[in-house]
Amino acid sequence: MQHRYRNNLGLWGWLGGGRYGFDRYAYALHRLTGLGILAYFLMHIFVTGTRLNGPEAWESAMNFFDNPLFRVGEFLVYLAFLYHAVNGIRLVLVELGLLVGKPGLPSYPYSNSVIRHRPVLVGAMVITAVLVLFAGADFFFLTK
Amino acid sequence: MRESRLWFWHILSAVAILFLLGLHMGIMHMGTVLEALGLGSTHPTATAEVFARSQHLFFMITYIALLGTALFHGLYGFRSILCELSLSQSLQKAIGRLCTVAGFALFLYGTYVAVRVFQMKGV
Ligand code: HEM
């Protein structure tokens, strides 16, 4: 049987377990956005289920959600999706051992895979920011 | 072995979701950009458009594929998060079972809705 380590930090370890770097907050945000999308998705299954009762039922469901509060909520879910998707592609590449550089001898100036990978993380955040700007423009200003 | 296989599917499902959800989000939220390119509409939630898409074979199939992959990816991720909290073995097992049952039940319900709406006539 494999040895199991106890997670003594519990939930606190997600966000503030020590002197975490930028990368660690990217992880916490990935987790938060994953849970947020999941919660929305589970509700979405039932909301789209109203189509079973025909167009009138769908329309009354849409009328119920047609207010500024839900519109902002919907936008937040969209932002969560954009972040989770772009950061998720980065994580898949890292998990396949890509874009983390080659291991080498520990000689000065010291480097590790996290440092070597950091420009990719910054690039992913820039791509997310550009997509967020496009999405915001479409969501709030362009859609009639 | 079983855990690493499930984890591999979690990663693989992420790649599939990227395409399926990318398509869905693009249609639903990039309407203006798509319309400018002659590819979409700016009223994607209008009743007529929703039912027109639902009765299209391509959309019915991609909706069901997205439902299955996203349920697996999301519920497996949720289970991993809970299991990281050093819960007892029996609690971990119970959470795993609950996620499996909930996932199958939601998949069956969502698939039933997609197929029934696809078959609706005259809407
Ligand atoms: C848009 C495409 C998506 C991509 C590329 C993606 C990618 C990923 C990746 C790479 C992970 C981490 C796996 C690991 O480190 O072991 C992950 C975790 C997760 N994803 Fe996604 N995902 C996507 C969509 C979704 C959707 C639609 C949901 C909800 C239904 C979701 C919910 C989660 C959850 C709850 C986790 C666990 C977070 C954690 O362990 O910290 N993801 N995703």
Side-chain angles (χ1 to χ4, degrees), chain A residues 4 7 31 51 59 138, chain B residues 11 32 47 54 84 86 92:
Chain A
R4 299 173 67 87
N7 169 10
R31 181 158 277 194
R51 286 175 304 160
E59 234 153 61
D138 192 282
Chain B
I11 297 299
T32 336
T47 307
S54 306
E84 261 179 39
S86 300
Q92 289 193 27

Side-chain angles (χ1 to χ4, degrees), chain A residues 12-124:
Chain A
W12 174 238
W14 285 18
L15 292 171
R19 288 162 55 204
Y20 287 160
F22 178 49
D23 328 79
R24 180 68 184 209
Y25 294 101
Y27 147 85
L29 197 56
H30 193 79
R31 181 158 277 194
L32 200 68
T33 52
L35 289 176
I37 309 169
L38 178 63
Y40 174 82
F41 175 54
L42 297 179
M43 284 189 295
H44 192 60
I45 293 176
F46 291 103
V47 172
T48 51
T50 58
R51 286 175 304 160
L52 269 182
N53 301 322
E56 294 77 27
W58 170 259
E59 234 153 61
S60 75
M62 286 302 102
N63 288 339
F64 176 76
F65 293 116
D66 190 16
N67 64 58
L69 190 71
F70 279 106
R71 191 128 180 88
V72 170
E74 203 186 349
F75 185 62
L76 288 180
V77 174
Y78 193 28
L79 295 192
F81 157 72
L82 288 176
Y83 175 83
H84 194 91
V86 177
N87 193 52
I89 301 169
R90 181 183 73 81
L91 288 178
V92 170
L93 295 174
V94 170
E95 275 156 13
L96 297 175
L98 301 169
L99 301 177
V100 286
K102 285 199 168 60
L105 289 173
S107 49
Y108 192 79
Y110 303 116
S111 167
N112 60 42
S113 59
V114 175
I115 295 173
R116 287 192 293 268
H117 178 75
R118 203 158 276 160
V120 182
L121 173 61
V122 174

Side-chain angles (χ1 to χ4, degrees), chain A residues 14 31 34-35 38 84, chain B residues 6-7 10 13 69-84 95 99:
Chain A
W14 285 18
R31 181 158 277 194
L35 289 176
L38 178 63
H84 194 91
Chain B
L6 285 175
W7 175 82
H10 182 64
S13 63
T69 46
L71 276 172
F72 174 76
H73 181 91
L75 290 173
Y76 179 83
F78 179 59
R79 168 183 170 268
S80 314
I81 293 172
L82 291 181
C83 289
E84 261 179 39
I95 291 170
C99 287

Side-chain angles (χ1 to χ4, degrees), chain B residues 15-16 24 35 43 45 47 52 70 83 89 93 98 104:
Chain B
V15 179
H24 182 63
E35 194 178 45
H43 300 290
T45 53
T47 307
C83 289
Q89 287 282 356
K93 261 207 183 107
L98 199 71
F104 274 109

Side-chain angles (χ1 to χ4, degrees), chain B residues 60-120:
Chain B
M60 184 197 68
I61 292 172
T62 51
Y63 284 162
I64 295 174
L66 178 58
L67 177 72
T69 46
L71 276 172
F72 174 76
H73 181 91
L75 290 173
Y76 179 83
F78 179 59
R79 168 183 170 268
S80 314
I81 293 172
L82 291 181
C83 289
E84 261 179 39
L85 296 172
S86 300
L87 309 173
S88 69
Q89 287 282 356
S90 53
L91 193 53
Q92 289 193 27
K93 261 207 183 107
I95 291 170
R97 290 213 178 107
L98 199 71
C99 287
T100 310
V101 172
F104 274 109
L106 288 166
F107 181 71
L108 286 179
Y109 171 70
T111 303
Y112 173 74
V113 172
V115 173
R116 281 304 302 268
V117 180
F118 174 74
Q119 291 170 331
M120 274 181 188

